[in-house]
Amino acid sequence: MRKNIVAGNWKMNNDLPATEALILDLLKQEQTSNAEVMIAPTTVSLFQAFNATKNSNIEVIAQNMHYAESGAYTGEISASMLKSVGVKTVILGHSERRAYFNETDELLAKKVDAALKNNMRIIFCFGEELTDRKAGNQEKIVGSQIKNALFHLEAAAFKHIVLAYEPVWAIGTGETASPKQAQDMHQFIRQTLNTKYGNQVADDMTILYGGSVKPANAKEIFGKPDVDGGLIGGAALKSQDFYAIINAF
Ligand code: 13P
């Protein structure tokens, strides 16, 4: 079933005290929409964040994970480790992971498989760079990112996947895709799913938009028929802004 979701990706912001303080602030906000709410604090704070949100409807999710179950991968974290601290959802394929940590479609396919094997839900991110958009190649790039990392899966796997279209040129830049640009791409993504997996998978897929979403533009973006929510960076670090976005539905 398609859902409305607003997820805050905190990236490498907020140490443990700041995480606890922001969660306390978030818990004071009022939610007037029926969107599912998620926050992705840094890995070292996940356990405390999970405990601090236990009696709320905020789900604590992870920003990344490794594909292996365990072993000699210094500095990495496995799906079962995340699950052991209460995390059931993981963001994979964020453009910052792709750009700064060389995460390829091939590697992401392995991470996707590992997350699914561990019964985790995935928020799978992708999006074109400015040069791609300027050359009119955005659909080609996005289509191949989706196909390369996800199209080896069976249709049933898509029940555990949320897609997040994040054009790289709109992340942290203050420049948002226009509601029409977001809608056009989300429609293309749904069509791409439809062609391979049929109507049901395409219709049921929750597709988030990410890239400079703010209280001022959330309503218009979320108002588009194929935009089911947002993956929020900067504005997720301010409790009132985050809830204004959540309540924009
Ligand atoms: P901003 O909202 O800061 O542009 O970040 C978007 C993002 O990358 C969320 O994952």
Side-chain angles (χ1 to χ4, degrees):
M1 262 298 276
R2 210 152 139 187
K3 299 177 185 129
N4 291 328
I5 297 176
V6 178
N9 176 9
W10 291 10
K11 308 191 181 183
M12 198 171 73
N13 294 295
N14 291 336
D15 59 11
L16 182 57
T19 296
E20 290 173 328
L22 180 50
I23 288 174
L24 281 180
D25 262 2
L26 293 171
L27 294 175
K28 287 183 200 146
Q29 306 299 315
E30 196 193 347
Q31 184 173 348
T32 56
S33 73
N34 67 354
E36 268 188 54
V37 178
M38 303 176 184
I39 55 170
T42 187
T43 310
V44 290
S45 301
L46 286 173
F47 183 52
Q48 283 85 349
F50 175 76
N51 284 323
T53 53
K54 245 182 190 162
N55 298 318
S56 76
N57 66 345
I58 299 175
E59 183 186 350
V60 169
I61 70 173
Q63 296 179 18
N64 180 37
M65 58 166 245
H66 196 268
Y67 60 79
E69 277 301 315
S70 62
Y73 298 98
T74 301
E76 292 291 335
I77 291 135
S78 71
S80 60
M81 289 169 185
L82 292 175
K83 283 174 62 186
S84 74
V85 297
V87 172
K88 298 194 192 83
T89 302
V90 61
I91 299 171
L92 293 177
H94 193 280
S95 65
E96 288 148 19
R97 301 287 324 164
R98 293 175 189 260
Y100 308 139
F101 304 96
N102 303 319
E103 295 203 357
T104 60
D105 292 345
E106 195 184 12
L107 175 80
L108 291 168
K110 287 188 183 176
K111 291 192 177 199
V112 164
D113 290 345
L116 292 172
K117 196 169 153 215
N118 281 278
N119 298 314
M120 290 186 75
R121 180 155 66 153
I122 298 163
I123 298 184
F124 186 76
C125 307
F126 49 82
E128 82 283 0
E129 298 190 23
L130 186 59
T131 46
D132 306 320
R133 165 90 30 192
K134 280 190 169 155
N137 286 335
Q138 62 271 18
E139 291 188 351
K140 193 168 142 226
I141 297 291
V142 163
S144 74
Q145 287 170 326
I146 293 173
K147 284 173 197 160
N148 292 343
L150 301 179
F151 275 16
H152 62 288
L153 299 172
E154 309 260 332
F158 284 83
K159 285 195 189 81
H160 309 285
I161 296 175
V162 169
L163 298 179
Y165 169 56
E166 298 203 307
V168 178
W169 47 270
I171 296 179
T173 58
E175 189 174 344
T176 322
S178 70
K180 182 180 183 317
Q181 283 174 319
Q183 168 58 25
D184 287 351
M185 184 57 87
H186 284 220
Q187 196 173 17
F188 166 76
I189 294 162
R190 222 178 280 288
Q191 186 54 48
T192 304
L193 289 175
N194 194 339
T195 305
K196 167 87 176 168
Y197 291 102
N199 222 354
Q200 193 70 45
V201 169
D203 260 8
D204 284 352
M205 180 53 66
T206 302
I207 309 177
L208 312 182
Y209 168 80
S212 299
V213 178
K214 303 178 208 61
N217 59 25
K219 205 175 183 71
E220 214 187 336
I221 296 172
F222 294 169
K224 292 293 177 193
D226 286 299
V227 179
D228 305 310
L231 184 54
I232 318 300
L237 300 171
K238 295 184 193 130
S239 56
Q240 291 186 357
D241 285 3
F242 189 49
Y243 269 82
I245 294 168
I246 291 162
N247 292 335
F249 282 103

